[in-house]
Amino acid sequence: MVQSFDNGNGASTEAERRMQLIFSLRRNGVTDTRVLNAIEQTPREMFVEKLFLDAAMEDTALPISCGQTISQPTVVGLMTQALKVQPRHRVLEIGTGSGYQAAVLARLCRRVYTIERHEPLAKLAKQRFEKMGLHNVTTRLGDGALGWPEQAPFDRIMITAAAEDPPAKLMEQLAVGGIMVAPLGHAGDLQHLVKITKTDEGLEYEELTPVRFVPLLGGVARE
Ligand code: SAM
């Protein structure tokens, strides 16, 4: 839980809560200024359920519909930082969920392609991107493990659901010189965030930090 500032009325303003969130991210190792700015400029309250509005600026994962979660901001920050996104990049995200991570990425790159398997989540995220005027995010309902072959190769790929191994189709769709960041390990256990760099010689793996994500599942869910 993030401590709140006392502004004299015993309450903290939105700006103070936002600043506290950024302090929390810094303490947890998110130091890239571009990433911190992108998170600061992305109103997380637009991506959480009404019931959890008060907790939107806390550095914690929260439930969203379809039994899924919006990731902890520190995890969003660490994954985005590890991806080393540049302004000209085209990025594929698997697991749109609330749309928050895609909205953060959209501030850092040319275009984000994001795939979600739950229809209600994909629809809601699309509406949120439109409402926020984020015109460089394209949303698709589908099984993200199959990737988005028509748009491949991607400079960067981020998977926001846990798999034991990176899906083969996604590895194929990563450009040479590209980076993928994904939580790898057994669903239900603690997984490890892994950064995979594709080079001319092959793949380089770097284990970053322990995380806990919902599993990467196959197929499309209509609800
Ligand atoms: N990035 C999200 C956000 O910012 O809110 C959080 C993602 S949530 C931890 C994981 C998401 O991955 C869930 O919405 C889940 O439905 C989705 N998912 C799981 N398996 C998938 C698959 N094969 N293809 C697409 N989405 C998938």
Side-chain angles (χ1 to χ4, degrees):
M1 286 276 185
V2 173
Q3 296 283 308
S4 50
F5 282 122
D6 190 336
N7 65 4
N9 304 324
S12 58
T13 66
E14 195 186 313
E16 287 165 345
R17 284 201 293 269
R18 202 172 296 279
M19 200 184 298
Q20 279 288 40
L21 178 63
I22 297 302
F23 284 156
S24 177
L25 264 66
R26 279 186 185 281
R27 268 197 309 276
N28 291 331
V30 184
T31 52
D32 184 319
T33 312
R34 286 182 67 233
V35 173
L36 288 167
N37 286 343
I39 290 177
E40 199 172 357
Q41 288 162 20
T42 307
R44 194 169 183 247
E45 58 275 14
M46 288 191 66
F47 296 89
V48 301
E49 300 287 313
K50 274 206 185 86
L51 187 63
F52 297 106
L53 258 185
D54 285 351
M57 283 295 123
E58 290 181 6
D59 193 8
T60 172
L62 294 169
I64 56 174
S65 53
C66 305
Q68 304 302 313
T69 50
I70 174 172
S71 303
Q72 181 189 357
T74 281
V75 173
V76 170
L78 290 173
M79 290 182 83
T80 309
Q81 182 167 275
L83 213 55
K84 295 193 181 302
V85 179
Q86 295 303 315
R88 64 183 168 77
H89 282 163
R90 295 163 68 255
V91 179
L92 174 66
E93 183 205 20
I94 308 303
T96 317
S98 67
Y100 179 65
Q101 172 73 77
V104 170
L105 287 168
R107 294 184 191 278
L108 296 167
C109 69
R110 181 147 60 98
R111 179 154 290 279
V112 180
Y113 297 88
T114 180
I115 308 178
E116 171 56 51
R117 66 179 291 276
H118 279 284
E119 190 168 24
L121 291 177
K123 275 189 180 160
L124 187 56
K126 190 165 187 269
Q127 285 166 14
R128 286 170 174 156
F129 301 142
E130 279 163 11
K131 197 167 168 187
M132 292 176 70
L134 289 176
H135 302 299
N136 62 338
V137 185
T138 313
T139 314
R140 169 183 270 190
L141 173 68
D143 180 353
L146 306 175
W148 199 316
E150 313 88 286
Q151 296 296 343
F154 297 96
D155 302 297
R156 300 290 186 260
I157 299 180
M158 182 187 287
I159 310 180
T160 66
E164 287 188 28
D165 296 301
K169 296 253 188 253
L170 296 182
M171 292 310 313
E172 280 168 29
Q173 292 174 30
L174 182 64
V176 174
I179 297 174
M180 175 189 289
V181 173
L184 299 184
H186 293 286
D189 284 351
L190 216 54
Q191 305 106 21
H192 273 92
L193 208 57
V194 176
K195 175 179 172 182
I196 305 169
T197 308
K198 192 173 191 177
T199 70
D200 283 327
E201 281 81 44
L203 301 173
E204 289 169 7
Y205 286 75
E206 186 186 343
E207 206 171 271
L208 301 176
T209 185
V211 284
R212 196 182 291 278
F213 271 84
V214 294
L216 188 76
L217 299 174
V220 164
R222 294 290 163 195
E223 48 187 43

